Amino acid sequence: MQQQQHQQGPGQQLSLDDALAYQRWNDPAYPYNPLDRATALQYFEFSPFYDPDSNNYAARQRGLDPANEHVLLQMPANKTEFQLAQCTEPHLFVVRKQRRIQPANKSEVMQYYYILGHERYTYQAPSLHAVVNARLRRAMHHVKEGFSRFKVDLAPLPKVLREHLREQEALQQQQLEKLAAMDTDEEEPTAATAAAAAAAA
């Protein structure tokens, strides 16, 4: 029997469901391989995801087969049950954890589990919260990465702007000097004309 568990950092505490979401389990010693519709649920009963307080366990203790839906319908309501929700033999089995609620006798889905592949690894499906949280973390990672690249790309910009401003200032200074020179050239003929007129008088 093999069980792998995700390790959390110091100070991080997980609920039981969250902790199980990071585990995968299989039992190479289980005799029926490959699995089929008749044996998949029994194989699942050996996993850490199984609840010994469930109706499945109670039915098994009575010598009944909980893979038969009619057997579970005869068991008390408001207790945990496991049913085979989907089956694609021999490499995909979906187990549904549920609770039947009276008086409507409706089933409240609590969790899904997957039994996959020839090695029959069993996983707990992630919750909606876990999926959204993981996608948000991934999105934030990409946003931060994008800003870091943007910052690197813009790093030369202040230097380029300073050089551009210096060039503009130099160009404006040259234009002012040219205008001043043109004003000086216009004033010199005017002064000469005035001096000639004074001499003639």
Side-chain angles (χ1 to χ4, degrees):
M1 184 180 300
Q2 298 180 359
Q3 182 174 327
Q4 297 186 2
Q5 182 172 357
H6 178 81
Q7 298 294 326
Q8 293 292 305
Q12 293 181 332
Q13 295 183 353
L14 297 176
S15 67
L16 178 59
D17 284 342
D18 288 337
L20 290 175
Y22 290 101
Q23 292 186 13
R24 73 172 187 175
W25 170 91
N26 79 327
D27 185 0
Y30 187 76
Y32 301 105
N33 193 14
L35 297 176
D36 57 26
R37 181 179 293 274
T39 57
L41 200 58
Q42 184 182 23
Y43 173 78
F44 178 82
E45 292 173 6
F46 292 96
S47 76
F49 309 108
Y50 184 67
D51 183 359
D53 292 326
S54 64
N55 278 336
N56 296 64
Y57 183 82
R60 191 73 72 183
Q61 292 297 103
R62 298 179 187 180
L64 303 174
D65 184 6
N68 186 336
E69 294 183 13
H70 297 290
V71 169
L72 291 179
L73 288 174
Q74 297 172 9
M75 304 300 292
N78 300 318
K79 292 194 68 175
T80 302
E81 298 176 348
F82 296 92
Q83 285 191 348
L84 194 62
Q86 185 176 342
C87 171
T88 305
E89 297 178 346
H91 299 312
L92 171 62
F93 302 90
V94 180
V95 177
R96 180 176 62 242
K97 181 180 181 180
Q98 64 184 29
R99 181 185 291 113
R100 282 186 298 110
I101 302 174
Q102 293 286 27
N105 203 31
K106 292 184 178 180
S107 296
E108 174 192 5
V109 177
M110 304 168 66
Q111 191 59 259
Y112 283 97
Y113 306 90
Y114 301 108
I115 305 173
L116 301 175
H118 179 73
E119 298 295 329
R120 302 171 297 185
Y121 277 108
T122 306
Y123 305 84
Q124 176 177 296
S127 64
L128 178 60
H129 170 76
V131 171
V132 172
N133 193 35
R135 292 186 176 181
L136 285 175
R137 287 200 305 268
R138 187 160 52 246
M140 288 303 300
H141 170 73
H142 290 312
V143 169
K144 290 180 180 179
E145 190 177 57
F147 272 117
S148 298
R149 292 179 179 177
F150 186 65
K151 186 177 179 180
V152 170
D153 293 339
L154 291 182
L157 186 58
K159 180 180 179 181
V160 172
L161 289 175
R162 286 195 298 269
E163 292 178 354
H164 178 70
L165 289 174
R166 282 197 294 266
E167 291 176 357
Q168 290 295 320
E169 290 174 355
L171 181 60
Q172 291 178 0
Q173 184 64 31
Q174 291 176 3
Q175 291 176 347
L176 289 174
E177 291 175 355
K178 287 181 180 180
L179 289 174
M182 291 175 61
D183 291 341
T184 302
D185 292 341
E186 290 177 357
E187 289 176 358
E188 288 179 352
T190 303
T193 303

